[in-house]
Amino acid sequence: MVDEEFISSMLHGLGELANINSVSVDNGRVKFSVKDLDLLVADELKALSTSGVFITGNNVKLLFYN
């Protein structure tokens, strides 16, 4: 189960809800398309993801599997 604090931290790390264009889920990966990379808080995203954060263009992938 994902708690409210986790969601709040993820939104903050992604530059808040208004910065997110789209979200998709594929197994243990969550992919976000964001509007402005300058709004990301990379350290916060790294603390949330168990297996890594990858940024390609305006796409941010968070990995949550071991």
Side-chain angles (χ1 to χ4, degrees):
M1 183 170 165
V2 179
D3 66 17
E4 194 172 316
E5 183 178 336
F6 181 88
I7 296 296
S8 178
S9 293
M10 183 176 292
L11 286 175
H12 180 258
L14 290 165
E16 302 305 330
L17 188 59
N19 194 41
I20 300 170
N21 285 324
S22 65
V23 180
S24 62
V25 178
D26 180 26
N27 294 320
R29 293 178 290 210
V30 182
K31 179 180 172 184
F32 297 90
S33 172
V34 296
K35 296 174 186 172
D36 187 351
L37 292 175
D38 291 332
L39 297 177
L40 298 181
V41 182
D43 289 341
E44 189 150 2
L45 294 175
K46 289 177 186 175
L48 295 173
S49 177
T50 57
S51 298
V53 177
F54 299 91
I55 301 171
T56 306
N58 278 26
N59 295 311
V60 180
K61 291 181 186 175
L62 301 172
L63 305 179
F64 293 101
Y65 58 85
N66 293 329

